[in-house]
Amino acid sequence: MLSGMKEQKQWDVLVIGAGIIGLSTAYHIKQDNPDLSVLVIDRSNAAAQADTAKSMAAIRDTFTSETNRLLAKSSIEFYQHVQSELHVNLNLELIGYLWLLTEREFKTFESIEAGMRKQGIRLRTVERKDLAGLIPDLVLDPASEQSKIIGMVSIHKGVQGLDCGVVSPELIAKFYEDEFKKSGGELQFSTEAKSLRLEAKNKLDLPGEPYVWQEKVFAGAETNRGFIKADTVVIATGARAPVLLDPLGIDCLVKAKKRQIFQVKGNALDRLMNTKGFNDLNTIPFTILPRGGVYFRPVRGEKSFWVAAADDLGRAFAFDDEPMAEETYFTYNIYPILSEYFPCFANLRPANSWAGFYDINSVDSTPIIDRIDNCILTVGMSGSGIMKADAVGRMAAAILKGKAEAALYGERRISTTRLGLTNRSVGKEEFVI
Amino acid sequence: MLSGMKEQKQWDVLVIGAGIIGLSTAYHIKQDNPDLSVLVIDRSNAAAQADTAKSMAAIRDTFTSETNRLLAKSSIEFYQHVQSELHVNLNLELIGYLWLLTEREFKTFESIEAGMRKQGIRLRTVERKDLAGLIPDLVLDPASEQSKIIGMVSIHKGVQGLDCGVVSPELIAKFYEDEFKKSGGELQFSTEAKSLRLEAKNKLDLPGEPYVWQEKVFAGAETNRGFIKADTVVIATGARAPVLLDPLGIDCLVKAKKRQIFQVKGNALDRLMNTKGFNDLNTIPFTILPRGGVYFRPVRGEKSFWVAAADDLGRAFAFDDEPMAEETYFTYNIYPILSEYFPCFANLRPANSWAGFYDINSVDSTPIIDRIDNCILTVGMSGSGIMKADAVGRMAAAILKGKAEAALYGERRISTTRLGLTNRSVGKEEFVI
């Protein structure tokens, strides 16, 4: 090293991404290893500004795959523990999920219902006549000219997931961030990882290293504020992960798909907001309409509804630094369905809208938690990252320590190899109604 | 339709890509369905000009996964049938594969050897002293200063796959193309599919269709020569598949990784070219060096060797319309290893070089053959497409017919769902030495 050159700080762990996944991971790493120096960087100017903040922020335990249940149930119970026992408000409200199902969809549900109940998932079937009574705003059998053109179907029954609800992911992220800082962790914002640096383990100082025949090691990240050196690098960048990993030839199995949320307000929605019979808060649950993939949730604090639709075939996989919601998306894709089943939305236009990204793992829609040499991946949340973030952080921390199993909240255990890039053992998720 | 507007021809099947996979698929579809109109398009001005032509063109049956064995063995036997019984030369030469293994690698091999032999894979272990005798050009224990810096390891034993060899993929492609044309199939070159058109099944003629709530259908492909309409679209575009599928939100699990091949010639290589004791052709087999991933094959017709290296960590996943070989890649990555184990390559520089793409499926390195509505995918060959092309084409043709099983060459059968995007059943491939 040239004399006078500033010695570069070498962090024990560099976590790239201060979303809920990066913060949970950093928190659990620091909890398990108080002596390690851990730095979290993010390109935003504060934590949890990107996809964490742009989510519907709903949480559920209704999964048939044991892996999904372990990840979600343990995380949700940890958030409940934080809110009720540590007295840190997370706006966690168990308002329930309500699936409005066609006859065919209900049959699918019946085929998996017993198994789910056996696993302790609390479900309630709401009969058609009860739905009509409980939700006067709901049209069970759309019959307008438009609904015929659309080919809308009658609602046969409802299924409520009782231990499901909504939460504020920013507050969960804030909890992790605060605790992480208290234990000596550091954060650096407005710092964008441009690329990862891969080096030869035994450098020869020749051009073009590392070569095919050299053992390689991740040295850290190149950022807009210079190079950050670290012994271990954690990739918690969600849908942006391929931007960092593709150039190194690592396929993290993730593709970015835009999700759009539209905030709708209006006095006409008051009765729906105050729907009774589903939860202690006397509000309508997070509600999923039949087919077409439209769903909404009440946001009591802002007296609004957030409405979205699950894009599938036809919605591009494409990443963009500044995703935008498209007004025509609401008009043509969401509104026709929404206003037929729930005419109280008729003539209401979005007051606000925003877009973020799912980091979709198409193989099995379940997170990828793995290590490649000294690089740890926590990616592929596929739309259920917030409800699984605590477990993901614990698994990543266990992987850093080289443990075969991770201890999840509530005395649960899970093998740390189960969510690896190869030889995954996720189990089939059948609750995809 | 406006009067005077030309009626657009609607093909029964449009195959995009006239590489070996597209042609095998088109051929088998036409064989199974003589009455269907089948069009193959390609952006090159002739068949098999891209990655098919840029491959090492080696074929092997040495797999531990039953799926891989079924695909490769049945395809290789079909090529043998074409060459010896139909008398169509494919330049198929069973010169063998020769793995030069370190002690550690040989231990791995021993753990899977019995299973492979039991499955009928013919293998021959070549003792260290016999290697030295048979291949005078081989240095078993590199000991130069350079080899120490590289950290090169001694070769412990060799393993030869006897039913392996090399072939001319262009000739296989030509066979399929000729037979396809004879049976009435059509080809159109210099025709690049720019995008796939997805339409609503029941169009409303409103802006922005198809909507989330509409049933969708693939209508055909937009090309530089206009729209081509088809009832079924087959994607056989190899590493270019995501260019067509990502915009529609289909994750075909494929990423493009460049492969580079360097042609090396010289009188100093004559003895190696004429190595005896491995095959009837008295030539050195396709040979894989320890670690570092360097391998070469003799090309008897052009009195040259083709040399390449298996990139892994550090080689970007990135697609490019005109991939180029990098001379420094040979110099720094291949040459040091090659010239130490085989000093006959010393001071020889590539006479020619070219690059193509692997279409890598990172999940299990095995092809993806599936249908999404009326779109059939035959992608993800992961570097073993030529040796599996016949089976891939038969599976795709069976999927088009809605069959549960495909009949492969040699009275073999395979379930058509086994290589789908989800719920794949490939089996673990352990022969990755």
Side-chain angles (χ1 to χ4, degrees):
Chain A
M1 181 165 296
L2 294 174
S3 76
M5 221 172 134
K6 199 179 142 200
E7 176 77 50
Q8 166 106 47
K9 164 144 194 175
Q10 172 132 3
W11 297 87
D12 291 319
V13 181
L14 169 65
V15 177
I16 305 177
I20 193 169
I21 297 296
L23 290 169
S24 164
T25 301
Y27 164 82
H28 285 297
I29 286 175
K30 195 70 188 155
Q31 291 289 308
D32 289 4
N33 313 275
D35 295 337
L36 291 188
S37 64
V38 182
L39 174 68
V40 179
I41 62 170
D42 197 282
R43 59 198 186 119
S44 303
N45 58 9
Q49 298 297 296
D51 299 332
T52 297
K54 288 167 175 173
S55 149
M56 286 291 271
I59 54 179
R60 67 182 174 107
D61 66 348
T62 51
F63 294 101
T64 65
S65 131
E66 190 210 353
T67 308
N68 279 328
R69 273 202 316 278
L70 273 170
L71 299 176
K73 245 192 170 338
S74 70
S75 297
I76 294 171
E77 286 181 21
F78 179 72
Y79 305 150
Q80 289 179 299
H81 156 75
V82 169
Q83 181 161 292
S84 27
E85 290 163 45
L86 305 184
H87 306 293
V88 177
N89 177 41
L90 303 177
N91 282 347
L92 195 164
E93 299 178 341
L94 292 186
I95 62 174
Y97 264 47
L98 178 63
W99 282 269
L100 299 174
L101 302 178
T102 65
E103 194 163 354
R104 195 167 156 185
E105 289 170 332
F106 188 77
K107 282 216 172 80
T108 304
F109 166 73
E110 282 185 305
S111 70
I112 54 174
E113 180 183 4
M116 291 175 78
R117 289 189 189 272
K118 206 173 151 186
Q119 294 297 335
I121 294 167
R122 298 195 307 131
L123 299 163
R124 167 199 183 197
T125 299
V126 189
E127 297 298 328
R128 197 176 136 89
K129 64 174 190 324
D130 297 330
L131 276 179
L134 288 168
I135 316 176
D137 282 302
L138 172 63
V139 172
L140 291 166
D141 307 298
S144 70
E145 209 44 53
Q146 171 168 282
S147 70
K148 276 177 210 156
I149 291 169
I150 295 178
M152 286 176 74
V153 282
S154 288
I155 291 168
H156 180 62
K157 288 190 189 188
V159 171
Q160 185 179 359
L162 296 168
D163 295 321
C164 307
V166 291
V167 71
S168 167
E170 293 98 323
L171 293 178
I172 302 174
K174 181 87 172 44
F175 164 79
Y176 287 130
E177 183 187 5
D178 289 347
E179 294 301 314
F180 173 65
K181 283 197 286 197
K182 273 185 216 162
S183 59
E186 294 187 42
L187 295 111
Q188 190 179 305
F189 294 108
S190 304
T191 304
E192 178 168 330
K194 300 286 189 186
S195 60
L196 302 177
R197 191 191 286 179
L198 192 68
E199 285 183 352
K201 213 170 253 176
N202 301 309
K203 276 195 272 190
L204 303 173
D205 290 317
L206 292 173
E209 286 184 86
Y211 303 133
V212 165
W213 41 267
Q214 284 177 311
E215 269 195 273
K216 296 163 190 75
V217 63
F218 291 84
E222 313 282 357
T223 79
N224 56 324
R225 297 189 164 198
F227 179 61
I228 299 175
K229 218 167 160 181
D231 285 343
T232 299
V233 179
V234 178
I235 310 297
T237 50
R240 205 173 161 261
V243 175
L244 296 175
L245 296 168
D246 276 359
L248 298 184
I250 298 167
D251 184 352
C252 65
L253 305 180
V254 168
K255 292 206 177 190
K257 186 170 276 206
K258 188 161 83 169
R259 65 176 167 219
Q260 307 178 47
I261 298 180
F262 299 87
Q263 183 204 44
V264 184
K265 290 182 172 194
N267 296 335
L269 303 176
D270 285 353
R271 185 172 64 176
L272 183 62
M273 177 67 79
N274 298 307
T275 299
K276 291 178 184 56
F278 289 99
N279 49 52
D280 294 344
L281 295 159
N282 289 323
T283 192
I284 186 87
F286 178 103
T287 299
I288 301 100
L289 311 189
R291 304 202 325 208
V294 174
Y295 48 91
F296 63 74
R297 59 160 283 195
V299 188
R300 297 197 310 139
E302 59 187 39
K303 290 192 179 172
S304 77
F305 283 85
W306 290 357
V307 189
D311 287 301
D312 189 9
L313 191 58
R315 167 61 59 182
F317 283 115
F319 182 72
D320 176 343
D321 274 331
E322 299 292 345
M324 303 271 287
E326 304 143 21
E327 198 185 332
T328 57
Y329 186 76
F330 180 84
T331 311
Y332 293 115
N333 291 284
I334 294 177
Y335 182 80
I337 305 283
L338 183 65
S339 61
E340 290 289 335
Y341 284 121
F342 290 92
C344 54
F345 282 95
N347 302 317
L348 294 177
R349 312 302 307 166
N352 197 357
S353 64
W354 57 91
F357 281 106
Y358 287 115
D359 54 332
I360 291 189
N361 154 20
S362 298
V363 179
D364 51 31
S365 306
T366 305
I368 287 154
I369 314 174
D370 203 349
R371 92 179 291 156
I372 296 166
D373 302 322
N374 62 324
C375 176
I376 294 177
L377 307 185
T378 54
V379 297
M381 299 303 135
S382 307
S384 56
I386 288 158
M387 64 186 92
K388 294 173 181 170
D390 190 67
V392 170
R394 289 175 198 257
M395 284 184 74
I399 284 172
L400 178 70
K401 283 210 140 177
K403 290 184 184 169
E405 277 195 335
L408 305 184
Y409 185 75
E411 308 292 318
R412 295 170 174 95
R413 304 191 72 79
I414 186 167
S415 156
T416 50
T417 61
R418 202 141 147 190
L419 297 175
L421 284 168
T422 52
N423 302 320
R424 292 167 67 77
S425 167
V426 167
K428 201 174 163 189
E429 182 52 57
E430 295 170 292
F431 196 80
V432 284
I433 296 166
Chain B
M1 180 164 298
L2 293 174
S3 77
M5 217 171 137
K6 199 179 144 203
E7 178 77 49
Q8 166 104 50
K9 162 142 194 177
Q10 173 132 5
W11 296 87
D12 291 318
V13 180
L14 169 65
V15 178
I16 305 178
I20 193 169
I21 298 297
L23 290 170
S24 164
T25 302
Y27 164 82
H28 285 297
I29 285 174
K30 196 70 188 156
Q31 292 289 309
D32 289 5
N33 312 274
D35 295 337
L36 290 190
S37 63
V38 182
L39 174 68
V40 179
I41 62 169
D42 198 282
R43 59 197 187 120
S44 303
N45 58 9
Q49 297 298 297
D51 298 332
T52 297
K54 288 168 176 172
S55 151
M56 285 291 270
I59 53 178
R60 66 182 175 108
D61 65 348
T62 51
F63 294 102
T64 65
S65 131
E66 189 209 354
T67 308
N68 279 328
R69 273 201 316 277
L70 274 170
L71 300 177
K73 246 193 170 337
S74 69
S75 298
I76 295 171
E77 287 181 19
F78 178 72
Y79 305 150
Q80 289 179 299
H81 157 74
V82 169
Q83 181 160 292
S84 29
E85 291 163 43
L86 305 185
H87 306 293
V88 178
N89 177 40
L90 303 178
N91 283 346
L92 196 163
E93 300 179 341
L94 290 186
I95 60 173
Y97 265 46
L98 177 63
W99 283 268
L100 299 174
L101 301 178
T102 65
E103 195 163 355
R104 195 167 158 187
E105 288 170 334
F106 188 77
K107 283 217 172 76
T108 304
F109 167 72
E110 282 185 302
S111 70
I112 55 175
E113 181 184 3
M116 290 174 79
R117 287 189 189 273
K118 206 171 150 187
Q119 293 298 334
I121 295 168
R122 298 196 309 131
L123 299 164
R124 167 199 182 195
T125 299
V126 189
E127 298 300 328
R128 196 177 137 85
K129 63 174 190 325
D130 297 330
L131 276 180
L134 288 168
I135 316 177
D137 282 302
L138 172 62
V139 173
L140 291 166
D141 308 298
S144 70
E145 210 42 52
Q146 173 168 281
S147 71
K148 276 176 210 154
I149 290 169
I150 295 178
M152 285 177 75
V153 283
S154 289
I155 291 169
H156 180 63
K157 289 190 188 186
V159 170
Q160 186 179 359
L162 296 168
D163 295 321
C164 308
V166 292
V167 73
S168 167
E170 293 98 326
L171 293 179
I172 302 174
K174 181 85 171 41
F175 165 79
Y176 287 130
E177 182 187 6
D178 289 346
E179 294 301 314
F180 172 65
K181 282 197 285 196
K182 275 185 216 161
S183 59
E186 294 188 42
L187 295 111
Q188 190 179 307
F189 294 109
S190 304
T191 304
E192 177 168 332
K194 302 286 189 184
S195 60
L196 302 177
R197 192 191 284 178
L198 193 68
E199 286 183 351
K201 212 169 253 177
N202 303 308
K203 275 194 272 190
L204 303 173
D205 290 317
L206 291 172
E209 287 184 83
Y211 303 133
V212 165
W213 41 268
Q214 283 177 312
E215 269 195 274
K216 295 162 191 78
V217 64
F218 292 83
E222 312 282 357
T223 80
N224 56 324
R225 299 189 162 198
F227 179 62
I228 300 175
K229 217 169 162 180
D231 285 343
T232 298
V233 180
V234 178
I235 310 297
T237 51
R240 204 172 162 262
V243 174
L244 297 175
L245 296 168
D246 275 359
L248 297 183
I250 297 167
D251 184 352
C252 64
L253 305 180
V254 168
K255 292 205 176 189
K257 186 170 278 207
K258 188 160 82 171
R259 65 173 168 221
Q260 307 178 47
I261 297 179
F262 299 87
Q263 183 203 45
V264 183
K265 291 182 172 196
N267 296 336
L269 302 176
D270 285 353
R271 187 173 62 177
L272 183 63
M273 176 67 78
N274 298 309
T275 299
K276 291 179 184 54
F278 289 98
N279 47 55
D280 296 343
L281 296 159
N282 290 323
T283 193
I284 186 88
F286 179 102
T287 299
I288 302 100
L289 310 189
R291 303 205 323 213
V294 174
Y295 48 90
F296 63 74
R297 59 161 281 196
V299 187
R300 298 196 311 138
E302 59 187 38
K303 290 192 180 175
S304 77
F305 283 85
W306 290 356
V307 189
D311 288 302
D312 188 10
L313 191 59
R315 167 61 58 183
F317 283 116
F319 182 72
D320 176 341
D321 274 331
E322 298 294 343
M324 303 271 286
E326 305 145 19
E327 198 184 333
T328 58
Y329 186 76
F330 179 83
T331 310
Y332 293 116
N333 291 284
I334 294 177
Y335 182 79
I337 306 283
L338 184 65
S339 62
E340 291 289 335
Y341 285 121
F342 289 91
C344 54
F345 282 96
N347 301 317
L348 294 178
R349 315 300 308 166
N352 197 357
S353 65
W354 57 91
F357 282 105
Y358 286 115
D359 55 331
I360 290 190
N361 154 20
S362 299
V363 178
D364 51 31
S365 307
T366 306
I368 287 155
I369 314 172
D370 203 350
R371 92 179 291 156
I372 296 165
D373 301 322
N374 62 324
C375 176
I376 293 177
L377 307 185
T378 54
V379 297
M381 299 302 136
S382 307
S384 56
I386 288 159
M387 63 186 92
K388 295 174 180 168
D390 189 67
V392 170
R394 289 175 197 258
M395 284 184 73
I399 285 172
L400 177 71
K401 281 209 142 175
K403 289 185 185 169
E405 277 194 336
L408 306 183
Y409 185 75
E411 308 292 319
R412 297 171 173 95
R413 304 190 72 79
I414 186 167
S415 157
T416 50
T417 62
R418 202 142 146 190
L419 296 175
L421 285 167
T422 53
N423 303 319
R424 291 167 68 75
S425 167
V426 167
K428 198 173 166 191
E429 182 51 56
E430 294 170 292
F431 196 79
V432 285
I433 297 166

